[in-house]
Amino acid sequence: MDDPHCIGRLAGRRCVMLAQFLQFLFSGVTVGATYALAALGFTLIYNASHVINFAQGEFIMLGGMLAVFFTQAGLPLPVALLLAVLLPALVGVLVEKLAIEPVKGAPTVSLIIITIGASLVIRGLTQVWLGKGTHSLPAFSGDAPLALLGATLLPQSLWVLGVTALVVAALWGFFNHTLLGKAMLATSFNSLAAQLVGVHTGRVLFLSFAMSGALGALGGVLVTPITLTSYDVGIMLGLKGFVAAVVGGLGNGLGAVLGGLLVGVLEALGAGYVSSAYKDAIPFALILLMLFFMPQGLLGARNTERV
């Protein structure tokens, strides 16, 4: 070991165990940040309409796939990444306008089924347009890993964590210090009361889908250099983002972030210490435990009224 404190057999074993734990932790926090962005997308739409948008995973997939497409088309990386976030936001608007708005007032279950149908359409069109292959994206600032206490941390992981932190801070500022953000918060608490004081709740739903699409796509763009992407990756990423939202407290923004990080860390630790075969099962085992013992989630679900 390079660490001078790791001298002797026992100390060396402890250092190896620490390095292994940190490696799993770094991996879990990185992918957990992506789950957190997906969970925030679920939260935005749930608060605006009381609908669970199961097309959220496809926004993540679109972000990664479009980033690959635009970079391969020769666009500069910053331009390619910007377009890869903006276009899924537009797709989110189209989903709201073409699929949700025409059936406004339908039962919640019907709206959920519509979002599942929208996800199938998005996935199918992407498969036809961009193919079934697996694609990679260059890391934003090189691939040379950073060493920390025997573990390694990819520079791309720092991008994931840093951008996620900036997004969370920006959303906090938006909801607490802008008129539009406060209108969205008012709609999430009581849509009828918000309408009575002049809030255009239809515009709020429109914006929620756009922001949800952008958040999901941003997560896809950030994580693709680490995990690769293909037309069907959105299924599992979306479901894990939903698990994160429920674990944190459905409708609770801070809970969505904490839930995403918790799901990512537990998934990585379970895969590392138990078996990678159970990697995808761990989040769903977690949501069952939460529903049994803490159905309101870690920070409590947001009680919204849909009128």
Side-chain angles (χ1 to χ4, degrees), residues 5 7 19 40 54 56 63 66 80 89 106 119 147 153 158 175 209 229 263 270 278 286 292 296:
H5 297 289
I7 301 174
L40 284 170
F54 282 107
Q56 186 64 31
L66 289 173
S119 74
L153 182 65
L158 297 179
F175 285 116
F209 269 88
T229 189
V263 170
Y278 301 113
L286 177 61
F292 275 120
Q296 296 299 309

Side-chain angles (χ1 to χ4, degrees), residues 44 144 188 198:
L44 285 169
S188 73

Side-chain angles (χ1 to χ4, degrees), residues 105-258:
T108 300
V109 173
S110 299
L111 293 174
I112 291 174
I113 292 173
I114 288 171
T115 66
I116 295 174
S119 74
L120 294 174
V121 171
I122 294 171
R123 193 182 315 144
L125 292 175
T126 304
Q127 177 185 346
V128 171
W129 178 30
L130 299 176
K132 296 182 178 181
T134 300
H135 305 279
S136 63
L137 189 67
F140 299 169
S141 53
D143 297 316
L146 308 173
L148 181 63
L149 297 176
T152 57
L153 182 65
L154 293 173
Q156 189 65 31
S157 295
L158 297 179
W159 276 98
V160 175
L161 298 176
V163 172
T164 300
L166 288 175
V167 167
V168 171
L171 287 175
W172 181 86
F174 173 74
F175 285 116
N176 288 278
H177 298 289
T178 69
L179 189 60
L180 185 55
K182 291 179 180 179
M184 293 180 71
L185 282 178
T187 302
S188 73
F189 280 106
N190 190 313
S191 60
L192 178 59
Q195 285 178 329
L196 292 175
V197 297
V199 174
H200 194 304
T201 54
R203 188 176 302 161
V204 166
L205 183 58
F206 174 91
L207 182 60
S208 296
F209 269 88
M211 292 175 65
S212 177
L215 285 173
L218 181 61
V221 165
L222 292 171
V223 81
T224 294
I226 300 174
T227 63
L228 307 182
T229 189
S230 65
Y231 80 98
D232 59 351
V233 298
I235 304 171
M236 195 58 67
L237 288 172
L239 288 175
K240 290 177 182 178
F242 173 65
V243 170
V246 173
V247 168
L250 192 57
N252 189 306
L254 179 59
V257 176
L258 294 178

Side-chain angles (χ1 to χ4, degrees), residues 38 41-42 45 53-66 84-85 87-96 115 118-119 122 208-221 234-235 237-238:
F42 277 106
I45 293 178
N53 176 31
F54 282 107
Q56 186 64 31
E58 308 313 321
F59 296 149
I60 302 174
M61 176 273 294
L62 276 177
M65 292 289 281
L66 289 173
V85 172
L87 286 183
L90 178 59
V91 172
V93 169
L94 291 175
V95 170
E96 193 278 329
T115 66
S119 74
I122 294 171
S208 296
F209 269 88
M211 292 175 65
S212 177
L215 285 173
L218 181 61
V221 165
I235 304 171
L237 288 172

Side-chain angles (χ1 to χ4, degrees), residues 63-102:
M65 292 289 281
L66 289 173
V68 171
F69 172 77
F70 288 128
T71 52
Q72 290 180 347
L75 292 178
L77 185 61
V79 176
L81 300 185
L82 180 62
L83 289 175
V85 172
L86 292 179
L87 286 183
L90 178 59
V91 172
V93 169
L94 291 175
V95 170
E96 193 278 329
K97 284 294 181 184
L98 300 178
I100 302 298
E101 189 174 295

